[in-house]
Amino acid sequence: MLEIRNIDAYYGKVQVLSNVSLEVGKDEIISLIGANGAGKSTLMKTVMGLLRPKKGSVIFQGEDITKIKNTKIVSRGIVYVPEGREVFPEMSVRDNLEMGAYCRKFSSREMKTHLEDMYEIFPKLGERQKQLAGSLSGGEQQMLAICRGLMSDPKLIMFDEPSLGLAPVIVEDMFRVIVKINQIKKIPVLLVEQNAYMALSISHRCYVMANGMIRLSGRSEEMLEESDVKKTYLGG
Amino acid sequence: MSIIMQLIISGIAMGFIYALVGIEYTLIWNASGVLNFSHDKLITLGAYIFGGTYILALKMGFVQGILLSLLTVAIVGVIIARTIFIPLRNLTMIYTIMATVMLGKIIVEGIRLFWGPVPFSVPGFLVGTVKIGKVVISRANIAIIITAFICVCALQLFLYKTKPGKAMRCVAQNRNAAQLMGIDVKTVMVTTVAISMIICCLIGVLVSPLLNISTTMSNMIGLKGFAAGVIGGFGYLPGAIIGGLVIGIVENFASMIFPSVYKDIAAFVLLVAFLLIRPKGITGKTR
């Protein structure tokens, strides 16, 4: 589905990614874990075409999208739900969702079924569809950001720290929804998380990143077992 | 009594002009996070293109002249967006501000070279008065109120009901997220600057019956429009309208109490007062 091959990327002169390769297969949930500043978000930005890599390539559905414009990448079906939610605060919940489908030309009936779909996943959003997004709670904003991402029927969805700053109960809900999205909608998921245990427990495979490099990769269950992974990256 | 009515109406007319300036200013601020310090010069440019070239030099009809002027400035807007706002959008704001200040200087000097330094007026354009009951209103004021009102409503509909309009608001509220929705931020910026230029030109055309067309004609309007934005709540379009109307009416009444040469002071006293007491503006909203 998505293949990242030997990416080198720089912010100015500072190298932030070196020789990063990663693969997301059909129907898979892949988690990408690592400490702050390891380059996880940068990698997402590179996939989205917001940062141009110096070397390497990004292949999506068999096509090289490394040099394609960001807007084209979105309309090809890759959606990135950014860290910190980033909703449009002065727009209603409903408008936020509709803007999620910006790159699709939905008829008003299609738009309606999509909206209803989202309200089914998160009934709270349906109740609050006329409310301004900025007035929602943190958890609700995160739900909105996820749904906004789903509105365009993505072929691959990438979540950046969806659990950040949320209460533990809500975090569990959030991960349950991510699994649901993957199973019911058959959308492959690339999940970036600092909450490594959670991420490992729902994902099929996992990559561990540090200092702009992939240090480890493997099946998530095995990673949870291995003691040195625990020690180094999961804090004991 | 009829004097008060007249003052209110001409106050509203000027208020709408200030509101349009505030809106034109606000649009660019929202789309690119930059204050466009050349905007008053762009108003002047609009008036010169309309009066100097299309009407006086090419002897066109007023309607045709206005439409062609709007088209011309829209093209100029696209060029300005492509050469200034887009290339400088990721740098610190001060660079773009300096660039817009310089753009203003270039426009003024360009005008002086191209159209000459002598102020002029457009004969026969929106002259005369209309008498409604005992109240005498100038045609120019009526034209300003109607045009500005239509313009404001159209803009509001565009921003809140259409997809490109909503995309513009998305960029204003969260540029990063807008990009992730697949909104082409550059296109939005170009559109915004072009729309803003069209409004500038419209302002220039509308005030040309009230002021002579000269390189300094819009200095005061530009500043008061900025004040309108601040007083209403910067970045919030309905705020600019409220702010504009407040300034227009207050300054007209000030001219009743104080000698009318002190009229301009009223707007700026109001601006400073708001900055000190309520910097969020009357509406307290932004964007």
Side-chain angles (χ1 to χ4, degrees):
Chain A
M1 200 74 194
L2 178 78
E3 212 187 323
I4 299 169
R5 284 186 196 153
N6 312 95
I7 291 272
D8 278 4
Y10 293 77
Y11 281 138
K13 283 187 177 159
V14 185
Q15 185 164 18
V16 278
L17 295 176
S18 47
N19 202 25
V20 173
S21 297
L22 183 153
E23 210 188 319
V24 183
K26 209 166 162 272
D27 301 340
E28 264 187 323
I29 300 182
I30 302 296
S31 57
L32 179 60
I33 58 180
N36 251 339
K40 297 169 299 191
S41 300
T42 308
L43 187 60
M44 305 289 104
K45 281 181 195 146
T46 317
V47 172
M48 291 310 292
L50 298 173
L51 183 74
R52 296 286 175 215
K54 267 244 168 79
K55 231 187 71 194
S57 52
V58 182
I59 314 287
F60 181 59
Q61 293 183 312
E63 278 176 77
D64 191 334
I65 58 164
T66 324
K67 293 199 169 68
I68 285 182
K69 252 176 91 176
N70 154 258
T71 50
K72 293 268 157 52
I73 292 176
V74 177
S75 49
R76 279 187 185 218
I78 304 185
V79 158
Y80 174 45
V81 179
E83 184 184 341
R85 316 191 249 284
E86 310 251 354
V87 295
F88 301 113
E90 307 272 334
M91 284 175 125
S92 68
V93 167
R94 196 194 160 121
D95 274 349
N96 264 274
L97 290 173
E98 285 184 5
M99 291 319 287
Y102 180 82
C103 60
R104 293 272 178 280
K105 291 190 173 65
F106 286 154
S107 69
S108 56
R109 193 194 288 156
E110 283 172 309
M111 186 64 93
K112 213 176 150 209
T113 45
H114 273 79
L115 284 171
E116 273 159 14
D117 247 22
M118 296 307 136
Y119 298 154
E120 209 168 289
I121 305 177
F122 289 117
K124 270 252 172 67
L125 292 181
E127 289 162 28
R128 314 222 153 158
Q129 52 173 312
K130 295 222 167 95
Q131 220 169 303
L132 290 186
S135 69
L136 300 180
S137 73
E140 287 162 351
Q141 286 190 18
Q142 184 64 59
M143 292 173 194
L144 178 57
I146 291 178
C147 286
R148 188 181 59 181
L150 290 172
M151 279 296 284
S152 62
D153 287 334
K155 302 203 174 80
L156 169 77
I157 190 159
M158 307 193 290
F159 295 108
D160 199 345
E161 307 273 3
S163 73
L164 198 73
L166 298 182
V169 197
I170 302 172
V171 171
E172 273 182 40
D173 272 353
M174 205 63 68
F175 282 109
R176 213 170 292 139
V177 168
I178 291 172
V179 174
K180 209 163 124 191
I181 290 166
N182 176 252
Q183 284 173 349
I184 297 175
K185 297 206 169 246
K186 299 283 174 215
I187 302 172
V189 173
L190 179 55
L191 174 65
V192 170
E193 258 299 334
Q194 283 196 56
N195 189 339
Y197 276 113
M198 265 297 190
L200 285 175
S201 64
I202 67 161
S203 59
H204 304 111
R205 287 189 301 120
C206 166
Y207 292 84
V208 180
M209 234 180 147
N211 297 326
M213 281 176 265
I214 301 280
R215 286 298 161 90
L216 272 173
S217 63
R219 301 204 56 80
S220 299
E221 304 141 35
E222 289 160 19
M223 295 279 243
L224 271 172
E225 312 272 290
E226 268 179 67
S227 61
D228 48 326
V229 176
K230 272 190 196 168
K231 233 184 247 152
T232 327
Y233 301 105
L234 311 182
Chain B
M1 194 54 214
S2 66
I3 289 183
I4 292 180
M5 268 315 281
Q6 248 157 280
L7 281 178
I8 289 179
I9 288 171
S10 61
I12 290 175
M14 274 329 274
F16 266 119
I17 293 287
Y18 302 147
L20 283 182
V21 177
I23 287 171
E24 151 260 307
Y25 213 53
T26 303
L27 279 179
I28 293 191
W29 163 255
N30 281 348
S32 56
V34 165
L35 296 173
N36 174 16
F37 278 94
S38 64
H39 73 127
D40 52 337
K41 308 298 184 283
L42 296 171
I43 294 172
T44 312
L45 180 67
Y48 269 92
I49 290 175
F50 165 70
T53 299
Y54 287 127
I55 303 299
L56 293 181
L58 299 176
K59 308 265 186 278
M60 281 181 186
F62 291 132
V63 176
Q64 198 187 0
I66 292 172
L67 293 179
L68 274 175
S69 308
L70 296 182
L71 184 69
T72 314
V73 296
I75 295 166
V76 175
V78 172
I79 297 168
I80 291 176
R82 290 242 166 246
T83 50
I84 295 182
F85 288 102
I86 288 178
L88 297 178
R89 72 186 185 285
N90 291 330
L91 293 177
T92 324
M93 210 215 288
I94 190 74
Y95 290 95
T96 325
I97 288 180
M98 282 315 291
T100 63
V101 170
M102 289 309 127
L103 175 69
K105 299 282 173 210
I106 293 169
I107 290 171
V108 167
E109 290 310 310
I111 287 174
R112 213 196 305 278
L113 291 170
F114 190 75
W115 282 284
V118 187
F120 59 92
S121 61
V122 183
F125 181 56
L126 294 178
V127 286
T129 54
V130 176
K131 207 169 173 188
I132 303 170
K134 280 185 178 169
V135 187
V136 181
I137 313 165
S138 74
R139 278 179 203 278
N141 279 348
I142 296 176
I144 288 172
I145 293 174
I146 293 173
T147 318
F149 188 73
I150 293 172
C151 189
V152 167
C153 292
L155 201 59
Q156 204 68 5
L157 274 179
F158 173 72
L159 287 174
Y160 284 84
K161 297 289 173 208
T162 68
K163 206 169 165 185
K166 283 183 186 174
M168 266 168 86
R169 284 169 59 223
C170 284
V171 172
Q173 291 174 23
N174 192 332
R175 210 196 288 187
N176 285 335
Q179 235 171 357
L180 296 178
M181 303 298 110
I183 295 170
D184 189 344
V185 174
K186 284 186 197 169
T187 311
V188 168
M189 281 171 78
V190 172
T191 324
T192 313
V193 176
I195 291 177
S196 167
M197 282 289 296
I198 288 174
I199 300 174
C200 280
C201 178
L202 212 50
I203 298 166
V205 171
L206 286 173
V207 297
S208 63
L210 307 178
L211 313 162
N212 273 335
I213 297 180
S214 71
T215 50
T216 53
M217 64 184 280
S218 54
N219 289 4
M220 270 303 165
I221 306 174
L223 273 174
K224 286 182 195 164
F226 175 71
V230 173
I231 289 174
F234 208 83
Y236 180 57
L237 292 188
I241 300 166
I242 295 168
L245 291 177
V246 167
I247 293 180
I249 293 170
V250 165
E251 71 172 7
N252 258 5
F253 276 99
S255 69
M256 217 168 98
I257 302 163
F258 307 106
S260 62
V261 283
Y262 290 109
K263 179 177 128 179
D264 290 334
I265 294 176
F268 301 120
V269 169
L270 212 57
L271 170 63
V272 173
F274 263 93
L275 286 176
L276 289 174
I277 298 161
R278 195 173 159 80
K280 283 162 83 184
I282 295 174
T283 58
K285 286 194 182 176
T286 51
R287 271 183 228 109

